[in-house]
């Protein structure tokens, strides 16, 4: 299962491509608006369609909003046109509940995405120098390196961790 926002982005893109007719349209953005009263998500798809269709973005936004509302059905509460042709999407509680159900179904693997292709990664972190004083940076860098290795492993990479202890001579 792809994540719910990716599915929403796909629905916006496919609806815009359908409206374009020839299917050629620049990939629209799907962003979180700066203010909550602008909805849950906002897209610039109508403005990207304007040059292709030769119509004002707000006119296209009306058609696109209608088509998107039909496609998303009960998942969207309302679609508003804003500014020069942005579409503000107000998602319904049903969309959030379906999203949560999908996340629970995916279990521990939700969000991992799966690295494609998986790579062998060597994460080298912390160099505790026995000839000098230890400081908070050594602890922070240890936690940071281990967290990075865990994230890479979660995404499907084959991770090797190397923790260095400098014990050769006076300095390494």
């Amino acid at each position: 299962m792809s994540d719910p926002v990716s599915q929403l982005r796909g629905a916006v893109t496919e609806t815009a491509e359908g409206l374009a007719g020839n299917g050629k349209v620049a990939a629209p953005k799907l962003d979180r608006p700066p203010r909550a009263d602008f909805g849950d998500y906002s897209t610039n798809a109508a403005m990207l369609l304007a040059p292709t269709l030769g119509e004002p973005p707000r006119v296209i936004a009306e058609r696109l909003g209608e088509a998107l509302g039909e496609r998303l059905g009960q998942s969207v509460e309302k679609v508003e046109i804003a500014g020069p042709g942005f579409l503000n999407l107000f998602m319904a509680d049903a969309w959030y509940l379906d999203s949560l159900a999908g996340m629970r179904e995916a279990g521990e693997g939700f969000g991992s995405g799966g690295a494609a292709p998986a790579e062998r990664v060597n994460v080298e972190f912390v160099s505790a120098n026995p000839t000098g004083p230890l400081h908070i940076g050594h602890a922070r860098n240890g936690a940071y390196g281990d967290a990075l290795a865990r994230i890479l492993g979660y995404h499907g990479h084959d991770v090797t961790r190397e923790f260095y202890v400098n014990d050769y001579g006076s300095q390494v």
Side-chain angles (χ1 to χ4, degrees), residues 2-142:
S2 65
D3 68 279
V5 177
S6 294
Q7 291 174 353
L8 182 60
R9 184 176 289 113
V12 169
T13 301
E14 290 171 12
T15 305
E17 288 172 349
L19 202 60
N22 61 5
K24 295 181 182 179
V25 71
K29 288 184 180 181
L30 183 69
D31 296 318
R32 298 285 294 182
R35 293 184 6 205
D37 55 330
F38 291 161
D40 297 304
Y41 293 95
S42 179
T43 181
N44 65 343
M47 291 182 284
L48 295 174
L49 282 169
T52 302
L53 299 178
E55 297 178 42
R58 284 189 67 89
V59 172
I60 296 168
E62 287 177 21
R63 292 198 339 243
L64 183 61
E66 204 172 293
L68 201 53
E70 288 175 16
R71 180 183 183 122
L72 296 174
Q74 299 298 319
S75 295
V76 69
E77 193 172 295
K78 65 179 175 176
V79 179
E80 285 184 352
I81 301 166
F86 286 102
L87 282 178
N88 293 335
L89 307 173
F90 293 80
M91 305 313 293
D93 290 343
W95 183 78
Y96 288 105
L97 292 173
D98 289 345
S99 298
L100 286 172
M103 289 177 211
R104 285 185 54 100
E105 186 179 305
E108 295 279 326
F110 179 78
S112 68
E119 296 180 25
R120 293 186 67 203
V121 179
N122 183 21
V123 179
E124 301 174 357
F125 56 99
V126 181
S127 177
N129 188 345
T131 62
L134 290 176
H135 52 77
I136 193 67
H138 291 105
R140 182 195 66 210
N141 294 342

